[in-house]
């Protein structure tokens, strides 16, 4: 169910938030482990392997990068709409038509 009242952020803001979340996720994916005793050598190699994998799979061509961003934006928007609908309905419980229509139906 798409609620037009909840879509005031606009698609440009949704895209910007999705890109920020993708960048944050990439940073978490590439972060080396802090509790290892390798003094960073194997962690650097692990980061290099992850970067090569990320580059070869997603970032090497613009088309695959755009498909990845579009997919993330689509799922982020769907999830954001579902979460805002749940928050809106729980905040306005008892005031919505689905909650009071039994009083007015005959």
């Amino acid at each position: 169910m798409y609620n037009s009242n909840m879509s005031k952020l606009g698609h440009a803001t949704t895209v910007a938030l999705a890109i920020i979340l993708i960048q944050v996720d990439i940073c978490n994916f590439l972060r080396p482990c802090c509790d290892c005793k390798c003094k960073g050598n194997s962690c650097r190699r692990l980061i290099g392997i992850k970067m090569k994998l990320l580059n070869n799979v997603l970032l090497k061509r613009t088309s695959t990068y755009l498909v990845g961003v579009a997919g993330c934006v689509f799922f982020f928007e769907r999830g954001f709409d579902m979460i805002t609908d749940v928050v809106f309905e729980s905040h306005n419980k008892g005031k919505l038509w689905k909650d009071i229509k039994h009083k007015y139906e005959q």
Side-chain angles (χ1 to χ4, degrees), residues 32 38-52:
C38 64
K39 298 181 182 172
N41 292 331
S42 65
C43 289
R44 283 190 208 111
R45 274 182 277 186
L46 184 61
I47 290 173
I49 291 169
K50 289 179 181 180
M51 281 301 293
K52 279 185 181 180

Side-chain angles (χ1 to χ4, degrees), residues 20-100:
I20 290 169
L21 289 175
I22 290 169
Q23 290 173 348
V24 168
D25 190 40
I26 289 172
C27 290
N28 288 333
F29 178 68
L30 298 175
R31 183 180 300 144
C33 55
C34 298
D35 57 348
C36 67
K37 297 176 183 172
C38 64
K39 298 181 182 172
N41 292 331
S42 65
C43 289
R44 283 190 208 111
R45 274 182 277 186
L46 184 61
I47 290 173
I49 291 169
K50 289 179 181 180
M51 281 301 293
K52 279 185 181 180
L53 178 68
L54 185 67
N55 184 38
N56 289 336
V57 172
L58 190 63
L59 301 176
K60 199 167 193 174
R61 292 182 300 181
T62 305
S63 60
T64 57
Y65 182 72
L66 290 177
V67 168
V69 169
C72 289
V73 166
F74 176 78
F75 288 112
F76 173 77
E77 185 179 6
R78 294 294 103 205
F80 187 80
D81 283 341
M82 289 165 49
I83 290 170
T84 54
D85 283 343
V86 168
V87 170
F88 180 80
E89 288 175 1
S90 67
H91 182 69
N92 293 310
K93 192 170 183 122
K95 301 175 192 173
L96 300 174
W97 174 249
K98 68 179 184 176
D99 297 331
I100 62 170

